[in-house]
Amino acid sequence: KNYLGRNKLLSFTKDNDNNNLIIKTSDGEFYSDYLLLTSGTFESNKKLHIAGEDNNPRIKYGLNYTERYINKNILIVGGGNSAIETALALFKDNKVTLIVRKNNFHEKVTEKNLIEIKNAEKENGVKIMFESEIQEFNDNDAKVKNKQNEYVNLPYDITYIHIGFEQPTKFLKSNGINMHEMEFSSRPIL
């Protein structure tokens, strides 16, 4: 019944002699019959891994609803609910471009979001670029490869990257948990 809180989990292994777990953290070693891992969702955003992304103060991975932007060029990368909702939250006061790698939105996008983003596009409030990818970030613009395989430079004040989160599968596998990466919600086996 120990709560390890914000200790860093370093490793865990099964002690076959005593049929329990040896849990190593930044605060020491613990033994337990069970270990509940709650990795969180928002701590390891997926990145584009392109030039100009790292340490760029104008690139964000989540929308802070307390920040207000007016008359800004905003790029949003992603094709899911988070990207669409960010575009919908910002388009009325800004110039918003939604950059989607595929030729359509993610299959799990809600019907409400699809209707609202299509309406925002019809109102010329959101420009949607399907089959497009940012290639690099420069000081004032982003180099984007569009679906015609042409390169265009889009000015940006802020860019939101909403392409998902890294799953801790590598860490879990290194600790003896077998699971399929695409089946992250599957039952792990230790």
Side-chain angles (χ1 to χ4, degrees), residues 74-77 95-99 125-129 154:
I74 299 176
L75 304 179
I76 301 168
V77 180
K95 182 178 178 186
V96 172
T97 303
L98 182 57
I99 301 168
V126 176
K127 179 180 179 182
I128 303 173
M129 296 178 66
L154 300 178

Side-chain angles (χ1 to χ4, degrees), residues 84 88 91-92 105 111-128:
I84 291 171
L88 292 171
F91 85 93
K92 289 185 180 175
F105 291 112
E111 188 67 28
K112 178 182 181 278
N113 280 345
L114 282 175
I115 291 167
E116 289 185 20
I117 198 67
K118 287 177 184 175
N119 287 337
E121 183 182 31
K122 284 179 191 172
E123 295 171 22
N124 292 321
V126 176
K127 179 180 179 182
I128 303 173

Side-chain angles (χ1 to χ4, degrees), residues 19-30:
N19 203 27
N20 61 13
L21 296 170
I22 303 168
I23 303 163
K24 293 182 181 176
T25 74
S26 55
D27 279 359
E29 194 171 284
F30 302 88

Side-chain angles (χ1 to χ4, degrees), residues 13-57:
T13 55
K14 190 170 187 175
D15 182 357
N16 291 324
D17 295 335
N18 298 318
N19 203 27
N20 61 13
L21 296 170
I22 303 168
I23 303 163
K24 293 182 181 176
T25 74
S26 55
D27 279 359
E29 194 171 284
F30 302 88
Y31 299 89
S32 178
D33 294 331
Y34 302 97
L35 175 63
L36 176 64
L37 295 173
T38 55
S39 62
T41 302
F42 301 106
E43 292 190 18
S44 44
N45 299 291
K46 284 187 179 177
K47 295 187 175 194
L48 297 173
H49 301 289
I50 59 174
E53 179 180 12
D54 287 340
N55 301 315
N56 187 330

Side-chain angles (χ1 to χ4, degrees), residues 149-165:
N149 285 323
E150 299 169 337
Y151 292 95
V152 294
N153 291 328
L154 300 178
Y156 75 98
D157 297 300
I158 302 291
T159 297
Y160 288 93
I161 300 175
H162 292 301
I163 57 173
F165 302 95

Side-chain angles (χ1 to χ4, degrees), residues 57-74:
R58 296 187 295 152
I59 296 177
K60 300 177 183 285
Y61 298 90
L63 179 62
N64 179 344
Y65 287 93
T66 63
E67 292 178 335
R68 181 111 164 106
Y69 299 110
I70 297 176
N71 296 324
K72 300 292 183 187
N73 291 306
I74 299 176

